[in-house]
Amino acid sequence: QVRLQESGPGLLKPSQTLSLTCTVSGGSITTDPYYWNWIRQPPGKGLEWIGYIGRSGKTYYNPPLKSRTSISRDTSKNQLTLQLSSLTPEDTAVYYCATLRDYSDGYYYTYWGQGTRVTVSS
């Protein structure tokens, strides 16, 4: 079973850059058949997909966030990293990493981390 654990700073100031790490255990980010996603949920709102990195290393981002987002990986540590620049208070959210898999009847999120809360405030 794949386990995901997010980590990173909980409080940042506007204009700073967020850097979060997702440590993966029980699976391989380079061989398992998943897209490795970052998703967030602002307070009182629904889930917002940020982007993913595939097992090949190819990335794809949510267009509204694309200019501020970078997802990378450290294959030696089996970790994913999310960087989100030019933060505003609207980036305050719980950030999750999650796996997405392509099954015969569609795409499904299969594993989620517990999430890490990020607050952007001056």
Side-chain angles (χ1 to χ4, degrees):
Q1 181 173 350
V2 176
R3 291 173 294 277
L4 309 169
Q5 179 66 58
E6 304 90 347
S7 60
L11 179 62
L12 290 160
K13 297 183 183 299
S15 81
Q16 289 185 324
T17 296
L18 170 67
S19 183
L20 296 177
T21 297
C22 176
T23 300
V24 179
S25 58
S28 169
I29 63 174
T30 56
T31 61
D32 283 3
Y34 301 119
Y35 299 93
W36 303 87
N37 292 259
W38 285 98
I39 296 165
R40 68 182 183 180
Q41 185 168 28
K45 297 184 179 180
L47 295 170
E48 180 181 29
W49 175 70
I50 300 170
Y52 71 68
I53 185 166
R55 54 181 169 173
S56 67
K58 184 176 181 179
T59 55
Y60 192 76
Y61 303 118
N62 190 353
L65 298 172
K66 182 178 180 179
S67 64
R68 300 195 291 129
T69 305
S70 177
I71 296 175
S72 59
R73 64 184 185 175
D74 185 333
T75 57
S76 67
K77 296 180 180 179
N78 214 34
Q79 290 179 333
L80 318 170
T81 299
L82 168 70
Q83 290 192 312
L84 184 66
S85 63
S86 303
L87 293 174
T88 73
E90 286 67 41
D91 294 310
T92 295
V94 178
Y95 286 74
Y96 299 92
C97 56
T99 59
L100 181 71
R101 183 168 180 173
D102 181 10
Y103 290 91
S104 58
D105 62 344
Y107 289 86
Y108 296 93
Y109 287 103
T110 50
Y111 298 104
W112 291 76
Q114 65 182 25
T116 187
R117 186 174 304 276
V118 174
T119 301
V120 181
S121 175
S122 56

